[in-house]
Amino acid sequence: MLAFDARLQTLYVAGESGQVSEFKVLDGQISKTGESLLARNAHVVAVHPMTHEIYFPLMDIDGKPILRIMRGGKE
């Protein structure tokens, strides 16, 4: 799953493995700026275009669904 923060030119990629990668998109070039293991099955991602918060709905953390919200980069 992909989510793109147009104002910050940042692309987030989340996969079923739980790995989340962050890329900067500048002048037609893409470069990886970070990667980490978020949670198993963290394969859905969305970005709020004004606050730059990144949302990860997770279906099973200790038997409960949760919404993990992370703060994105700065303008």
Side-chain angles (χ1 to χ4, degrees):
M1 182 64 72
L2 306 172
F4 184 64
D5 188 325
R7 286 177 64 191
L8 298 182
Q9 296 292 290
T10 303
L11 175 68
Y12 300 96
V13 180
E16 287 186 35
S17 68
Q19 201 77 11
V20 177
S21 302
E22 177 185 281
F23 298 87
K24 201 63 159 174
V25 181
L26 292 172
D27 301 322
Q29 301 292 315
I30 299 175
S31 59
K32 186 183 277 188
T33 55
E35 184 172 75
S36 64
L37 181 64
L38 180 64
R40 190 174 56 92
N41 290 319
H43 62 276
V44 176
V45 59
V47 176
H48 190 288
M50 299 306 289
T51 65
H52 311 292
E53 291 175 327
I54 310 154
Y55 300 93
F56 297 95
L58 305 171
M59 59 186 203
D60 185 11
I61 302 296
D62 296 327
K64 298 178 185 175
I66 66 165
L67 177 62
R68 185 157 292 159
I69 302 171
M70 303 176 102
R71 189 171 311 274
K74 299 188 189 242
E75 290 186 73

